[in-house]
Amino acid sequence: MVKIFVGGVSPSVTVDELKKLFEQYGQVNECDILKNFAFVHMEKEDEAHKAISELHKQEFYGAHLTVEYATSKIRNATKIYVGNVSSKATTAQIKELFEKFGKVVECDIVKNYAFVHMAKEREAMDAILNLNDMPLEDQKIFVTLSKNLGFLLGMLPPPI
């Protein structure tokens, strides 16, 4: 899965319209618009690369897009792994759950799991203690500190 940053998104653009633009290049798993920028998650690296090279600086609804690989600018945030995420769940729902415990810096759903980055470790630990086994949509979520090496043991999917 490849996360793409899209800047300069016109306020009149809908999520569906932006998603259709990127679907010309391949499978889009998720698309979120936040003010004048967006994040698009594409399934395959080669399709994402083609979308980035062909859409960068192109005009879309009267605005020139900035399209590039998303790079995380998160420093000193605590990364939380959220497992068993229902296909009905949204990033907004997950973010709202975690914001009860502190500042959420970033939140991304990837297939049936998610990563939440919280600004303060103490707040992240409170969230983990209180949200593990919490029902979300039709399933109980599994919440723990993200261990980037867990995928080597086959316990977790690879980190983003």
Side-chain angles (χ1 to χ4, degrees):
M1 171 108 59
V2 180
K3 185 175 180 181
I4 301 169
F5 170 81
V6 184
V9 177
S10 168
S12 62
V13 173
T14 67
V15 169
D16 286 340
E17 291 164 337
L18 188 62
K19 188 174 180 183
K20 282 180 187 162
L21 177 68
F22 279 83
E23 283 176 337
Q24 297 173 53
Y25 301 94
Q27 181 181 334
V28 173
N29 292 338
E30 189 176 341
C31 180
D32 295 307
I33 297 177
L34 312 155
K35 298 194 183 198
N36 65 337
F37 65 96
F39 290 104
V40 176
H41 299 255
M42 293 190 73
E43 184 64 28
K44 296 183 180 169
E45 177 80 33
D46 59 329
E47 295 171 350
H49 180 73
K50 187 170 185 185
I52 290 167
S53 34
E54 293 189 17
L55 294 175
H56 184 60
K57 296 189 179 181
Q58 291 300 310
E59 190 174 319
F60 188 60
Y61 283 78
H64 287 86
L65 298 177
T66 300
V67 183
E68 53 196 31
Y69 288 100
T71 56
S72 181
K73 296 189 171 107
I74 300 168
R75 298 285 180 260
N76 301 321
T78 302
K79 187 174 180 182
I80 301 168
Y81 171 82
V82 183
N84 200 36
V85 175
S86 167
S87 60
K88 297 174 189 172
T90 65
T91 51
Q93 286 176 304
I94 292 175
K95 188 174 181 181
E96 186 179 321
L97 273 179
F98 281 83
E99 282 178 334
K100 293 173 185 167
F101 301 94
K103 181 177 170 76
V104 173
V105 182
E106 185 175 349
C107 177
D108 292 303
I109 296 177
V110 187
K111 298 190 192 234
N112 65 340
Y113 60 97
F115 290 107
V116 176
H117 298 257
M118 294 191 70
K120 296 183 180 173
E121 184 177 4
R122 178 180 38 78
E123 294 169 350
M125 297 309 288
D126 285 346
I128 290 167
L129 288 171
N130 287 283
L131 296 176
N132 189 39
D133 279 334
M134 162 90 48
L136 176 63
E137 289 299 336
D138 54 355
Q139 295 175 192
K140 284 187 177 182
I141 55 174
F142 170 73
V143 184
T144 188
L145 276 176
S146 177
K147 297 172 184 71
N148 287 335
L149 299 177
F151 71 95
L152 294 174
L153 304 172
M155 295 172 5
L156 299 175
I160 299 174

